Amino acid sequence: MIKLGINIDHIATLRNARGDFFPSLLAAAAIIEQNGGDFITIHLREDRRHIRDDDLFLLNNNVSTYVNLEMACNKDVLEKALAAKPVKVTLVPEKREEITTEGGLNLAGNFDKIKDYIDELKRNGILISLFIEPDVSLIDKICSLAPDDVEIHTGGYANSKNFKEKNKILSDIKEFSKKVKEMGIKVCAGHGLNFHNVEEICKIDGIEELNIGYSIVARALFVGLAKSTSAMKSLIRNSERKV
Ligand code: PXP
């Protein structure tokens, strides 16, 4: 059965818009867990634009499932990861100007640095996942890094412009997933998955976990907006001075 990790970064984005404690990430995590979410994913970015250091510790110490921490190879974030010791760290590339994680890890250009981070995290008992483009030419490098998991970057699939492009990327994902599984590494996938494109990914042999954030958090607004509006309207109706 495919597990679902829910990325709650964008709940933090909303929370930070008012500099408040509301909406609470811990309350969100509890709702997710009570409704089938298998674990909680957060990305502690170098610029702390959504998840903050205190969120990492609070969630890590209090969720009922576990935290999958996405992070770049950055010393300051590594320090926080080693102090919090989440169950799993997913190493991702990070550029300051990007809106969201663009592309998978550059294994060729940053091999030694990535290896050092993996070694340090593993020494601390943390499971390692690597966020990688579905490119079979990377298999040997992945093998020598020996991560516990590989998360296939599905952004290219999600953003594909036509059926031809989409089918080509799907077949790359299938081939890549097969090879990763053959190495005894757990296959995960994520990025850009939504209510229209997730089914094709679920049919791929080998995929054991998905990480989905934006589409779930965005849809929550719409499925909750009617209830939220009528609750406020009833409160106003029931409290207003009767004339
Ligand atoms: N997996 C990784 C490694 C990511 O960086 C992200 C985005 O933070 C996701 C999954 C979730 O992507 P989305 O928010 O588009 O569902």
Side-chain angles (χ1 to χ4, degrees), residues 43-59:
H43 185 171
L44 188 65
R45 294 185 72 100
E46 199 184 304
D47 62 8
R48 309 297 199 269
R49 69 172 74 153
H50 36 54
I51 299 296
R52 305 183 305 226
D53 297 1
D54 55 332
D55 295 325
L56 166 63
F57 291 95
L58 187 76
L59 289 163

Side-chain angles (χ1 to χ4, degrees), residues 95-195:
K95 292 191 215 113
R96 249 175 204 264
E97 328 73 55
E98 69 189 1
I99 293 173
T100 181
T101 316
E102 294 166 357
L105 287 164
N106 175 359
L107 297 187
N110 296 315
F111 188 87
D112 292 342
K113 187 174 184 185
I114 292 169
K115 179 146 188 11
D116 288 348
Y117 274 72
I118 292 176
D119 290 347
E120 183 75 35
L121 289 158
K122 274 195 174 177
R123 265 196 297 278
N124 282 271
I126 299 169
L127 295 173
I128 302 295
S129 183
L130 301 179
F131 192 44
I132 311 268
E133 292 290 339
D135 175 355
V136 288
S137 74
L138 299 171
I139 290 290
D140 287 347
K141 288 209 164 51
I142 295 172
C143 211
S144 32
L145 289 169
D148 302 282
D149 305 355
V150 161
E151 180 175 341
I152 303 173
H153 194 315
T154 50
Y157 158 74
N159 295 325
S160 56
K161 298 282 176 287
N162 52 52
F163 283 121
K164 194 171 166 221
E165 194 186 332
K166 185 176 112 173
N167 289 333
K168 162 78 176 82
I169 301 175
L170 270 176
S171 99
D172 290 347
I173 295 177
K174 278 180 200 157
E175 194 191 352
F176 185 70
S177 168
K178 185 166 176 274
K179 293 255 187 297
V180 172
K181 188 181 170 187
E182 278 167 8
M183 291 190 300
I185 296 172
K186 191 205 272 181
V187 187
C188 311
H191 207 282
L193 297 179
N194 60 39
F195 294 86

